[in-house]
Amino acid sequence: VRVGIAHGAGDWSNRAMAGWTGLGLVTVMLGGIALVFLVKPDWVAVMFTDDPVMVAAAAPLIVLSAVAILSDGARVVMASALRGAAEVWSPPIIEAIAYYPVMLPLAGVLAFTLGMGVQGLVLAIVAASVVSAALLVLRFQMISRRLQPTGPA
């Protein structure tokens, strides 16, 4: 919202600051949750089941989810910031690139070819989320360097 307000006002420096501030805030907020997932995955699993076999199976997936939480938060904030800056096509194109040609083949290779099963599927999701977040951050950085946006405001 703050990116859109700054963009509408033609305030390019505040548009960039709003996007980067949002990214920083979500990283700090979700970083605490990710830290719990990394340090106490069993504790998180026990919130959903008291079956020790399920807790043991879920714990490694919860550790992988710590990275997914951070990258997914960054992905959502940067996609929203880009939309606020009138970049309506780059977020879905970037996400399609991250999830179709990256996640789907990687999931097949990791889960089935390498026999990693569910951990391979989760790792593929994490990888796609990281790729998506990184590309969205790069795109926001590119438009933030411009003095003014191209096209209609």
Side-chain angles (χ1 to χ4, degrees):
V1 171
R2 300 294 303 174
V3 171
I5 291 168
H7 181 83
D11 189 347
W12 317 132
S13 63
N14 276 335
R15 180 183 73 174
M17 184 177 65
W20 297 125
T21 301
L23 180 61
L25 181 61
V26 79
T27 301
V28 169
M29 299 293 289
L30 294 179
I33 296 169
L35 187 60
V36 171
F37 277 38
L38 285 171
V39 175
K40 295 286 189 183
D42 294 340
W43 180 78
V44 174
V46 168
M47 292 193 308
F48 298 97
T49 182
D50 57 0
D51 180 352
V53 174
M54 289 299 293
V55 170
L61 302 175
I62 292 169
V63 169
L64 286 174
S65 296
V67 177
I69 287 170
L70 288 171
S71 59
D72 199 53
R75 180 190 65 76
V76 169
V77 167
M78 287 289 95
S80 297
L82 285 165
R83 287 182 186 104
E87 286 270 329
V88 294
W89 286 107
S90 60
I93 290 169
I94 288 169
E95 294 197 359
I97 290 167
Y99 288 96
Y100 289 104
V102 173
M103 183 183 73
L104 292 177
L106 186 59
V109 169
L110 294 175
F112 304 112
T113 305
L114 298 179
M116 293 176 69
V118 173
Q119 287 185 348
L121 295 175
V122 172
L123 192 56
I125 293 167
V126 170
S129 186
V130 168
V131 168
S132 178
L135 292 175
L136 290 164
V137 165
L138 288 173
R139 181 64 185 154
F140 189 75
Q141 182 179 29
M142 286 172 56
I143 69 159
S144 294
R145 289 184 174 170
R146 284 193 229 148
L147 295 177
Q148 60 184 350
T150 57

